[in-house]
Amino acid sequence: YGAAMRIVPADRSSAHLSFPPSPTKHESVKFRAKSVEVPPGGAFSFPLHSPGPGSLVRVAFQVHDGKELEFELWQGGARVHAVLGEAHEGEVVVPAEGLCEARWAQQFSWVGAGMLIWSPVTVSYEVVVVPPQHLAHARVRQLLQIARHGTVAELQAALENTPPSDSDEAGLTALHAAAAAGRLDSLEALLAAGAEPDAVDCRGVTPLLAACEHVQTEAAQASLVSLRDRTRPSGSETSFPPRHLGGISATPPRHLGGISAASRRHL
């Protein structure tokens, strides 16, 4: 998910861990072990923390010797997820913030004429808790990539799950990405979806200026038209305030990021 991660080794992933490490807005937490014994008729479990509604718990486990275990994820006395098998890999969305429990339980096995198999079962597992902020950022990064290189159909599909003006960690929106890449089709689709044409990134750069930085003349013109239509009163031919141009003037302001006079002349 393109984020920092803490790894909790097997000796911490046990029922003796009373205060589980909590993911922050900036990192995920991974719990993993190569071999943990689950006692006959018993269970192995450890606590983990959901940092907010919509957190993702990614689970992968493999039971040794072809046996089966039941995996359960609990929160607040409610079972969020359960699966029985020799192996499993999947994702679970946790509905709320708070303490959860990952649990593997062994069911009794019977063979022949009622003979009970009474032996421990070994499991290897990996559990990753991903904060909801990481998921949102991952969706935005995907949207920016599609705006640069994808099709309009792919962009419209991505916009169903991500607002068009959401930004990444650097403040870049999909409109910045499309303008810098000269993708007029992406620009049109994003503007039609309600993207903010005067959004600024962490440097104070608008999509218009991003197009100028990369000498994308047509994209700059399209951005300029969208700003004009957005800010000009209906039926008026009056130009919009200079601030919507990101301060373009004969003397470029500091946040132009080194845009040359030649690039500015394209406007």
Side-chain angles (χ1 to χ4, degrees):
Y1 295 93
M5 181 177 294
R6 273 185 292 155
I7 297 177
V8 181
D11 58 355
R12 293 186 63 192
S13 303
S14 69
H16 303 294
L17 182 60
S18 56
F19 296 99
S22 301
T24 68
K25 293 181 179 180
H26 307 290
E27 65 177 1
S28 299
V29 173
K30 178 187 288 185
F31 302 81
R32 67 182 181 186
K34 290 184 177 180
S35 58
V36 174
E37 281 195 355
V38 180
F44 162 77
S45 66
F46 60 85
L48 52 92
H49 187 268
S50 165
S55 295
L56 188 71
V57 176
R58 183 173 178 81
V59 181
F61 70 84
Q62 176 70 54
V63 185
H64 300 193
D65 301 324
K67 298 178 181 178
E68 291 186 340
L69 287 175
E70 182 177 33
F71 171 79
E72 299 174 318
L73 183 67
W74 291 78
Q75 186 183 51
R79 190 165 68 171
V80 178
H81 180 72
V83 61
L84 175 67
E86 298 178 16
H88 174 71
E89 184 172 349
E91 296 177 343
V92 184
V93 177
V94 181
E97 179 181 356
L99 191 65
C100 301
E101 181 186 22
R103 183 176 186 269
W104 285 266
Q106 182 183 172
Q107 307 295 324
F108 288 119
S109 298
W110 299 86
V111 295
M115 186 190 323
L116 176 65
I117 297 178
W118 187 268
S119 62
V121 175
T122 304
V123 61
S124 301
Y125 67 84
E126 181 175 285
V127 177
V128 182
V129 183
V130 184
Q133 292 86 348
H134 283 186
L135 301 175
H137 283 155
R139 287 192 292 267
V140 171
R141 285 191 290 269
Q142 181 184 37
L143 182 65
L144 266 63
Q145 185 70 5
I146 293 173
R148 294 185 187 100
H149 306 295
T151 66
V152 171
E154 291 171 336
L155 185 60
Q156 290 171 336
L159 288 169
E160 294 179 3
N161 299 313
T162 307
S165 293
D166 276 11
S167 61
D168 67 5
E169 297 88 336
L172 294 173
T173 67
L175 211 55
H176 284 92
R183 289 292 305 274
L184 295 181
D185 53 350
S186 294
L187 278 171
E188 292 174 359
L190 288 163
L191 291 168
E196 296 288 340
D198 52 356
V200 294
D201 65 13
C202 62
R203 298 183 298 141
V205 171
T206 64
L208 170 60
L209 293 181
C212 293
E213 283 184 327
H214 293 81
V215 199
Q216 299 289 356
T217 307
E218 292 183 350
Q221 290 173 339
S223 299
L224 199 60
V225 169
S226 70
L227 287 169
R228 180 197 65 194
D229 294 343
R230 174 186 173 89
T231 58
R232 187 175 60 191
S234 178
S236 171
E237 296 299 325
T238 305
S239 62
F240 45 83
R243 68 182 179 86
H244 290 100
L245 286 175
I248 294 177
S249 63
T251 304
R254 287 176 296 176
H255 70 265
L256 282 179
I259 296 175
S260 66
S263 297
R264 293 196 302 280
R265 279 199 297 272
H266 285 297
L267 297 173

